[in-house]
Amino acid sequence: MSPRGVAIPDLRERLFAAAERVVARDGAAALTSRAVTAEADCAKGVLHTHFAGLDEFVAELVLDRFARSARQAQALKAKAGTATVADNLQEVILVLLQALPPAVVGLAMTRPAAALHTRQGFQAGAPAFDAIQHAFTAYLQAEQRGGRLPADADPATIALALVGTTHHLLMTHPPAGGENAKATIRRLLALVLRSAPNCP
């Protein structure tokens, strides 16, 4: 959370969503505070009223999207025993590919001040890929207890493979993942879950 904070949560999300649209449409180089506020249809100075500057804003956007992605992954455990293991995992991974825009994450890593703020957020306990990995592991353990994953399967290693592949796809494919990304996920799930019942 920004030290200055954002008094209106809806405004924070409005600015974040506007930034994602700017980057998706015009590229990372087009992301300026004025471009964000214009896209969000807000007063020009509103971003600097609630954030110390564009670097802090970008870092907070990345931290927010990681936190949202972790919550989505944690909700996976409640799906244990429904649909198929592969379908449940694929659905969440595809959502993650859309929730973490590579251009925005890359922008945060290439701007030193934004990168520092992001690292400080993670060091302070903000969820990152490790939280998503833990959520995948918890889900797979639940499926194992329910008999839909073999007793000798290794949920932690499967989760690591899935998160590692998700990270790779985020950095090398369009934000929506694309058909190639979907095909890669299907192949990976078929490989890591090949001995599990009910897993296509």
Side-chain angles (χ1 to χ4, degrees):
M1 180 70 179
S2 164
R4 299 185 179 199
V6 175
I8 306 173
D10 287 348
L11 176 59
R12 177 183 172 94
E13 175 55 32
R14 185 174 170 184
L15 292 170
F16 286 166
E20 290 174 327
R21 292 194 299 273
V22 169
V23 171
R25 183 182 63 239
D26 304 322
L31 189 68
T32 64
S33 58
R34 179 166 294 187
V36 172
T37 53
E39 181 69 25
D41 195 23
C42 295
K44 291 180 181 179
V46 71
L47 186 148
H48 291 279
T49 300
H50 299 293
F51 298 90
L54 186 62
D55 286 319
E56 183 181 278
F57 171 78
V58 169
E60 287 293 319
L61 168 57
V62 171
L63 292 171
D64 180 88
R65 289 332 191 213
F66 266 105
R68 185 173 68 178
S69 296
R71 289 193 298 271
Q72 291 167 331
Q74 288 160 359
L76 184 60
K77 187 176 179 181
K79 295 185 178 182
T82 67
T84 70
V85 177
D87 285 345
N88 289 335
L89 287 167
Q90 178 171 296
E91 179 182 353
V92 171
I93 292 172
L94 291 176
V95 168
L96 295 180
L97 290 177
Q98 296 180 40
L100 295 167
V104 174
V105 175
L107 184 63
M109 296 301 102
T110 57
R111 297 174 68 100
L116 175 60
H117 189 93
T118 303
R119 285 198 302 273
Q120 289 173 336
F122 289 146
Q123 291 167 357
F129 278 113
D130 56 344
I132 296 171
Q133 182 179 334
H134 292 324
F136 281 0
T137 300
Y139 165 71
L140 290 165
Q141 288 171 337
E143 293 287 22
Q144 193 172 47
R145 289 191 295 271
R148 301 212 307 165
L149 197 68
D152 61 352
D154 185 346
T157 299
I158 295 173
L160 176 60
L162 294 176
V163 170
T165 301
T166 301
H167 179 272
H168 172 74
L169 292 173
L170 279 169
M171 296 299 105
T172 59
H173 287 74
E179 286 304 316
N180 288 339
K182 294 176 184 178
T184 298
I185 293 166
R186 286 195 295 268
R187 289 196 303 271
L188 177 64
L189 288 169
L191 176 65
V192 299
L193 300 174
R194 65 183 182 278
S195 60
N198 301 319
C199 295

